[in-house]
Amino acid sequence: MINSVPGLALANETLYPIREVSRLSGVNSVTLRAWERRYGLLVPQRTDSGHRLYSMRDIERVKAIVSWIARGVPVSKVASIIDRQALPSLSIAPVAQTDSLADEQLQAAREQLIAAVARGDLLGLERVYGQLFARWPLTQLCNDILLPVWRQYRVQAKQGGASASWALLDGFLRGRLLQRIAFLQPDRASVLLVSLQPREEEVEVLLAALFLADADINIAYLSCLPAPEELLLMCDGGGHQALLLFSDRALEAGVLTRQLPRLNQQLECPVAALGACCELQAVELQQANISCLGLAQRSLTDSVQQLLAGRFDG
């Protein structure tokens, strides 16, 4: 029989009762049960007496659900977004190693990053950042390490705590990620990437841009949507092979019904969307003849290559 107590190790995995999950995540028990019963968002383990037990992976999933709902994603659509983002591009450990060990390694990586930020140790943060990029596949690095830590500090800063740590990590990631995507090579295809995110969420679009850079293309990045006339001039004058628009939120009605169709009609290059908007507004984007490249994961690299080759049908 499994004992329902915090911190109990079972088969090398620590399990938590629902009250502890509620305390750690800030989501009340009634809501957690509703997410499980109505939407299948959580699948906790059970004791012999029927009490729910949750792993650290479950708790991270709860935090991810909260993050997406805060951006306006309906709870009924959250599962598809989280599950697609969680798809690994490569195995992070030999097959003989368990998922539990992989989770422990990811948690250790997050804690290593958090420790450097908490100390305000810029050189240590630089060292950890380099080690993470050298060790982890891009999908897991972005979606399982960097984004969860960045979002955790962002939430804390909004709640009135850890604002200095948030500013340090956010500024550091912006600088390093911009540096990575700014590397240009002659004779490569070029795309214009426009962020439709609020400025304080720029790290999300920059992490998505890493998957585009992995497709060996040059990226011209705009941190906000300019006037349509300026955008048309830039696309044509810059010789870009595609216009890519990123948003992890639902696009505004005016952007969907007026700006995107107009751009699509007047540009010779294809116009495509990426980010969670592809999940949230797939039908609307299709009606506007905008290709949906999907979420920030390994498949994004292949999708943009197919788009530039004229073979993408998403």
Side-chain angles (χ1 to χ4, degrees):
M1 180 175 181
I2 302 173
N3 294 318
S4 177
V5 295
L8 175 70
L10 176 69
N12 296 322
E13 186 174 30
T14 301
L15 300 176
Y16 303 83
I18 194 167
R19 65 178 180 276
E20 185 69 5
V21 177
S22 181
R23 185 186 70 81
L24 292 170
S25 66
V27 179
N28 65 55
S29 300
V30 174
T31 299
L32 291 173
R33 294 190 190 98
W35 287 352
E36 175 191 343
R37 290 194 301 264
R38 296 180 190 174
Y39 306 106
L41 288 170
L42 300 166
V43 185
Q45 299 183 43
R46 298 274 186 162
T47 66
D48 291 346
S49 56
H51 295 295
R52 293 170 174 83
L53 291 175
Y54 299 82
S55 66
M56 184 53 67
R57 177 184 286 185
D58 292 326
I59 295 172
E60 292 300 326
R61 185 175 176 87
V62 170
K63 292 178 179 179
I65 293 168
V66 171
S67 175
W68 285 113
I69 291 174
R71 297 182 214 175
V73 178
V75 66
S76 59
K77 294 186 178 182
V78 168
S80 63
I81 295 175
I82 294 177
D83 291 341
R84 290 196 187 193
Q85 278 197 316
L87 289 174
S89 59
L90 296 170
S91 60
I92 62 172
V95 175
Q97 292 181 312
T98 65
D99 287 343
S100 178
L101 178 56
D103 288 342
E104 290 176 7
Q105 292 173 335
L106 285 167
Q107 182 61 25
R110 289 190 288 264
E111 290 174 355
Q112 190 180 15
L113 182 61
I114 289 170
V117 173
R119 292 193 304 268
D121 181 1
L122 192 59
L123 291 179
L125 184 56
E126 179 75 47
R127 184 168 57 254
V128 170
Y129 178 81
Q131 292 170 350
L132 293 175
F133 264 92
R135 178 182 179 189
W136 293 95
L138 196 54
T139 297
Q140 287 163 326
L141 172 67
C142 293
N143 294 325
D144 294 332
I145 301 173
L146 296 180
L147 269 178
V149 174
W150 178 82
R151 285 171 177 160
Q152 176 180 325
Y153 275 114
R154 182 168 176 262
V155 168
Q156 291 176 356
K158 282 190 169 184
Q159 294 173 345
S163 57
S165 296
W166 152 250
L168 175 67
L169 179 61
D170 185 63
F172 177 85
L173 287 178
R174 284 179 196 243
R176 294 302 180 272
L177 295 173
L178 282 168
Q179 188 178 44
R180 279 182 176 267
I181 69 172
F183 181 72
L184 306 177
Q185 287 275 46
D187 303 323
R188 281 184 177 179
S190 174
V191 301
L192 185 61
L193 174 63
V194 179
S195 172
L196 304 181
Q197 295 281 97
R199 185 70 182 200
E200 68 269 18
E201 297 174 6
E202 185 178 34
V203 163
E204 293 175 334
V205 64
L206 294 177
L207 285 170
L210 292 183
F211 294 92
L212 302 177
D214 217 38
D216 292 329
I217 57 178
N218 291 332
I219 301 171
Y221 171 65
L222 301 181
S223 61
C224 61
L225 182 66
E229 296 76 13
E230 293 180 283
L231 196 55
L232 290 169
L233 285 173
M234 188 169 292
C235 284
D236 292 337
H240 301 296
Q241 278 75 52
L243 170 62
L244 308 181
L245 304 163
F246 178 93
S247 180
D248 261 345
R249 297 172 177 264
L251 300 178
E252 295 178 1
V255 175
L256 265 177
T257 59
R258 293 191 298 274
Q259 289 179 274
L260 293 189
R262 178 184 174 188
L263 287 171
N264 210 20
Q265 291 172 359
Q266 297 183 356
L267 284 174
E268 294 185 6
C269 67
V271 181
L274 59 147
C277 63
C278 296
E279 298 282 336
L280 299 172
Q281 298 168 304
V283 174
E284 293 89 340
L285 288 166
Q286 184 179 22
Q287 291 172 344
N289 292 320
I290 304 299
S291 298
C292 290
L293 298 180
L295 298 169
Q297 55 192 22
R298 176 55 64 191
S299 60
L300 181 59
T301 300
D302 297 330
S303 295
V304 74
Q305 289 174 331
Q306 293 172 20
L307 181 75
L308 296 179
R311 298 193 303 268
F312 185 74
D313 56 2

